[in-house]
Amino acid sequence: MNTLVKGWFSEISDELWPGQCFSLKVKEILHEEKSEFQDIKILDTETYGKALILDGVIQCTERDEFGYQELISMIPICSHPNPERVLIVGGGDGGVAREAIKHPAVKEVYQVEIDGRVVDLSKKYLPFMACGFDSPKVHLTIGDGFEFMKNHKEEFDVIITDSSDPIGPAVSLFQESYFELMKKALRPGGIICSQGSNFWIDLEHVKETLKACACHFKNTSYAMAMVPSYPCGSIGFVIGCLDEKRDLKTPLHCFTTDQIDKLNFKYYTSDVHKGAFALPRFAAKAFEF
Ligand code: SPM
């Protein structure tokens, strides 16, 4: 459930974050519709710019989207020695594609998004993210990520799952069978990075997702980014690598400050990469299994 009361959008979910919610003051509702898959809203807000809301949950806002999109892309890409072929599952706003193509070693980005309306509406209202689709490196398929991967075995160096939260159909993207499918779609030495919820909200769920990942990737880790418009102001990433020996915390590709600025990274640096893996003790302890 979510509601617009006296010009405020409130992100209420008794299932996902009971007893708390984040609110945004709305200037204008730019678009609202029910697609085949979900309720889609695009809002123009007072202090976070344009915001994409799916089934009442904030997916990204103009003010802080880059933190999430840069880290979910660059942590795995910079942890792979030769990240030529990248697959993005989800990410219909285009922000992750926009980041992935920045890396000079990335030759092709395949993307599979289930809801074509999210892509269309992002192109219309959220061009600062949807510009990711303009690159000739990006090949977009509207369809189901599970089906896509079943038909593309051992094809990708990096798989990024930019999903919505673990509720409804998205639950399956946090389960063991999904990690198994990704493993099979990777080339040797490949790496995956998935939206990994938030340990402040549901430590047990994050732990279960990491365990599901660890069933198929012996080298599994968890990193975090600060994103003020997400619940508790942060979000995590579940990372799994087929190379057992690779040190995920130390990027294999490092950019100079000049390169960082030229590539228009606003959040990612090599130091941020390393620091993203530093977890508070209570979380690190919970993830020792
Ligand atoms: N390309 C951006 C899409 C964002 N996908 C992730 C959205 C997650 C929203 N909820 C965060 C809650 C964290 N527990």
Side-chain angles (χ1 to χ4, degrees), residues 165-190:
D165 291 319
I167 191 166
V171 168
S172 55
L173 301 174
F174 295 77
Q175 291 173 339
E176 195 203 313
S177 54
Y178 183 67
F179 288 99
E180 184 178 21
L181 198 57
M182 287 196 284
K183 180 182 181 175
K184 289 182 177 159
L186 284 176
R187 287 164 155 177

Side-chain angles (χ1 to χ4, degrees), residues 11 16-17 52 54 57-61 65 68-69 72 90-97 129 161-166 195-199 201-202 205-206 222 229-232 234-236:
E11 189 189 46
L16 290 167
W17 33 85
L52 172 67
L54 298 179
V57 175
I58 298 169
Q59 299 301 306
C60 26
T61 79
E65 51 85 18
Y68 173 85
Q69 328 261 28
I72 199 171
D93 51 73
V96 173
M129 295 191 289
T161 304
D162 178 18
S163 70
S164 48
D165 291 319
Q195 196 262 91
S197 304
N198 179 311
F199 53 66
I201 290 172
D202 195 344
H205 177 263
V206 177
Y222 192 76
S229 64
Y230 286 159
C232 298
S234 59
I235 192 159

